[in-house]
Amino acid sequence: MNSQSSSTNLGTVVSVRGSVVDIRFDKYLPPIYSLLRAGTEGQIVIEVLSQLDAHRVRCIALTPTQGLVRGAVVKDTGGPLQAPVGKAILSRMFDVFGNVIDRQPALSDVQWRSVHRAPPPLSRRSTKSELFETGIKVIDVLMPLERGGKAGLFGGAGVGKTVLLTEMIHNMVGQQEGVSIFCGIGERCREGEELYRDMKAAGVLQNMVMVFGQMNEPPGARFRVGHAALTMAEFFRDDEHRDVLLLIDNIFRFIQAGMEVSGLMGQMPSRLGYQPTMGTELSQLEERIANTDTGAITSIQAVYVPADDFTDPAAVHTFSHLSASIVLSRKRASEGLYPAINPLQSSSKMTTPGIIGERHYALAQEIRRTLAQYADLKDIIAMLGLEQLSPEDRNVVGRARRLERFLTQPFFTTEQFTGLKGKLVSLKDALDGCERILRDEFKEYPENALYMIGAIDEAKKKAPPDKPAAKAEPQPKPEPKPQPEVEHAASAHES
């Protein structure tokens, strides 16, 4: 890995306790973060984490330690863990050591750089807040992302996290000519294989890099895979001057790997058993994700919240770094409202008049208010029916339901499953559509006309105004009518 060979500095294994290895060096001690190799072909990779005394270092193994025995010879490589960088890494899949794991030919024409790099200094950082347009209506309107910022994606299994990440990669590559890097920390091998296949089918692999530290790998490897992915991202930002979209799945597993390493190293645990250095370790990773004078690394991170407890130290520390949080809802997914983002629980620090402008801010507030009023009215509708609401409340319900449907969107990456052509919607079109719905311009149109469309004008082509229904709506007299409407409102959605 490192051409600078330190074969003369050899050590011997003193003890092996799981992933923790103590090694004695008589000549000189290797520095912290040095990479050591043991085994017949150097297949056991070990990283120095502390120097115990004048002759002994305590290390963590980044590979399984089967076959490592006391007295085994260890070679100092003379440098830290390194990651490959260069144009040749595009469309490839790597492990934490920079080995290709996609059954393609070996890499050529790449440089190797240390994964331990300092964040960009303040003098190089960009101070202006810019929007990062995703082309996804609900995100751009209600929880806009920051260019060079960090967004958290909160959601359980099967609500569409991966589909949303895949679509963002597609839009980033197609629209902004950027590079996407997917970092799987503690990923299941099934997830990695599926993602690779999906990306290939969607045709976005040529501007993408994947780095995986699988779930079954030792904690040391899972702990370092995020640093390896960031080193690759920094190359495209600083050397190629390109914008990078960095997707991390799952940032909680990075903290979890750090907790395992800390426990193995014998550090005193902190609150709830987390490592005492958790804040520092997370900051060392997160602070490298930044917007500089040459380009920006924008990050979207999946976040698992232990036991849904948002006061858990892992969630609290992660939240402090995020500029936007996107919460996915299983209920909305079951109603067919994709992307299944809960607009009332999601938020962004960018939604201030000074950054997104007065009009966008006022519209976002009005949309939230309308959806919140509808959420409050749902219980009344379920018990008493839509007919018992005041005309004003009925209008609010109509607007909210049309907004919910307008904020759905067909994705490019799901075309082969849905048969619907993907749509990329500009922020201007998304805002226009929401504004016209709030002004009751589409009151006469059936709700279905707004479902799974791009810009608002597509609703007019999709279905004609529903005039007879509109005339019948204010008449509460006919008795048989409330029953189907009660059922319709209680179910709250058609697919």
Side-chain angles (χ1 to χ4, degrees):
M1 187 167 293
N2 195 338
S3 56
Q4 172 198 346
S5 174
S6 300
S7 53
T8 47
N9 191 26
L10 299 174
T12 50
V13 174
V14 178
S15 71
V16 184
R17 298 188 309 285
S19 288
V20 176
V21 186
D22 287 2
I23 301 166
R24 180 181 178 88
F25 284 90
D26 290 319
K27 200 171 179 185
Y28 64 86
L29 283 184
I32 302 291
Y33 296 150
S34 288
L35 210 65
L36 316 175
R37 287 183 175 272
T40 49
E41 294 169 14
Q43 72 274 24
I44 299 172
V45 185
I46 306 163
E47 186 179 67
V48 178
L49 283 191
S50 69
Q51 299 182 342
L52 300 177
D53 54 36
H55 291 289
R56 287 186 310 139
V57 288
R58 180 158 289 170
C59 317
I60 192 91
L62 306 185
T63 54
T65 51
Q66 284 97 327
L68 196 63
V69 294
R70 279 190 192 178
V73 177
V74 178
K75 189 171 93 174
D76 177 9
T77 63
L81 178 65
Q82 296 187 317
V85 297
K87 288 184 180 175
I89 68 171
L90 288 171
S91 81
R92 303 304 299 269
M93 190 192 269
F94 299 93
D95 66 7
V96 67
F97 305 110
N99 302 321
V100 287
I101 51 171
D102 52 10
R103 300 185 194 158
Q104 302 293 322
L107 283 178
S108 58
D109 190 31
V110 289
Q111 303 169 26
W112 292 83
R113 288 186 186 171
S114 166
V115 303
H116 303 282
R117 296 165 66 84
L122 283 173
S123 56
R124 278 199 54 219
R125 289 182 184 237
S126 173
T127 52
K128 62 177 187 283
S129 292
E130 293 178 69
L131 287 187
F132 175 81
E133 270 196 49
T134 61
I136 298 167
K137 288 181 283 194
V138 64
I139 293 176
D140 289 344
V141 172
L142 292 175
M143 57 226 69
L145 305 187
E146 182 183 6
R147 182 175 175 266
K150 296 171 269 281
L153 191 59
F154 301 84
V159 291
K161 277 200 307 292
T162 305
V163 171
L164 197 55
L165 292 181
T166 314
E167 185 70 5
M168 286 189 185
I169 292 169
H170 182 281
N171 294 356
M172 173 75 178
V173 171
Q175 181 192 12
Q176 310 199 4
E177 295 171 4
V179 177
S180 295
I181 295 181
F182 184 91
C183 174
I185 304 177
E187 282 281 87
R188 299 167 187 86
C189 56
R190 168 185 62 78
E191 293 173 328
E193 188 272 333
E194 280 176 8
L195 188 75
Y196 183 79
R197 210 159 11 97
D198 292 347
M199 294 301 165
K200 205 167 187 178
V204 299
L205 206 58
Q206 69 275 13
N207 274 308
M208 189 172 174
V209 186
M210 292 183 178
V211 194
F212 285 101
Q214 277 175 225
M215 203 172 250
N216 62 310
E217 290 182 30
R222 283 180 272 129
F223 191 49
R224 288 289 174 238
V225 72
H227 297 92
L230 261 167
T231 303
M232 296 174 182
E234 284 165 344
F235 165 80
F236 288 109
R237 179 191 66 192
D238 300 338
D239 296 38
E240 296 272 310
H241 304 316
R242 293 171 78 174
D243 278 4
V244 183
L245 180 63
L246 174 67
L247 302 148
I248 301 176
D249 191 7
N250 187 308
I251 201 68
F252 172 77
R253 296 199 191 115
F254 166 76
I255 293 170
Q256 208 172 27
M259 180 164 64
E260 288 181 50
V261 169
S262 171
L264 288 166
M265 294 293 290
Q267 291 178 346
M268 184 71 74
S270 177
R271 195 158 79 88
L272 296 187
Y274 285 104
Q275 63 271 39
T277 52
M278 175 170 68
T280 308
E281 288 164 1
L282 189 62
S283 300
Q284 282 171 344
L285 189 76
E286 298 278 12
E287 285 299 297
R288 288 169 66 179
I289 301 167
N291 185 358
T292 69
D293 46 13
T294 56
I297 299 175
T298 304
S299 173
I300 296 164
Q301 308 170 7
V303 185
Y304 166 70
V305 181
D308 290 337
D309 176 16
F310 282 87
T311 63
D312 186 274
V316 170
H317 279 271
T318 307
F319 264 124
S320 65
H321 290 281
L322 301 176
S323 54
S325 52
I326 300 167
V327 181
L328 294 171
S329 149
R330 190 171 301 284
K331 187 171 182 295
R332 291 177 77 83
S334 68
E335 291 165 354
L337 297 173
Y338 286 106
I341 293 168
N342 185 326
L344 298 177
Q345 283 186 311
S346 306
S347 63
S348 168
K349 291 177 183 170
M350 300 292 282
T351 43
T352 62
I355 296 173
I356 60 174
E358 292 285 350
R359 175 180 175 244
H360 186 168
Y361 177 75
L363 261 175
Q365 294 300 95
E366 195 177 344
I367 292 165
R368 281 181 193 279
R369 200 161 41 244
T370 306
L371 294 173
Q373 283 175 281
Y374 176 44
D376 290 340
L377 292 169
K378 273 182 180 173
D379 288 344
I380 298 169
I381 295 168
M383 288 186 289
L384 303 174
L386 198 63
E387 295 295 320
Q388 300 304 314
L389 297 180
S390 68
E392 181 48 45
D393 281 350
R394 244 178 292 169
N395 281 339
V396 167
V397 170
R399 281 181 215 130
R401 287 172 64 84
R402 282 170 175 79
L403 276 172
E404 280 185 337
R405 279 148 185 76
F406 176 63
L407 291 175
T408 62
Q409 191 168 339
F411 281 177
F412 291 97
T413 46
T414 55
E415 278 178 12
Q416 65 260 46
F417 310 116
T418 61
L420 297 171
K421 191 164 168 49
K423 298 280 164 65
L424 187 82
V425 185
S426 70
L427 177 59
K428 180 183 176 297
D429 286 348
L431 290 173
D432 282 349
C434 292
E435 191 171 42
R436 288 164 70 181
I437 290 169
L438 290 168
R439 301 295 166 264
D440 286 337
E441 191 179 316
F442 289 83
K443 191 178 178 181
E444 311 293 328
Y445 284 78
E447 291 169 3
N448 242 358
L450 298 159
Y451 179 68
M452 284 292 171
I453 59 169
I456 192 78
D457 288 327
E458 291 176 33
K460 294 184 175 177
K461 298 172 194 164
K462 196 171 173 185
D466 194 1
K467 283 198 173 127
K471 281 178 192 162
E473 195 184 9
Q475 301 172 2
K477 287 208 168 176
E479 278 307 310
K481 206 161 185 216
Q483 199 53 39
E485 287 211 16
V486 171
E487 288 168 9
H488 183 62
S491 69
H493 291 288
E494 72 280 17
S495 62

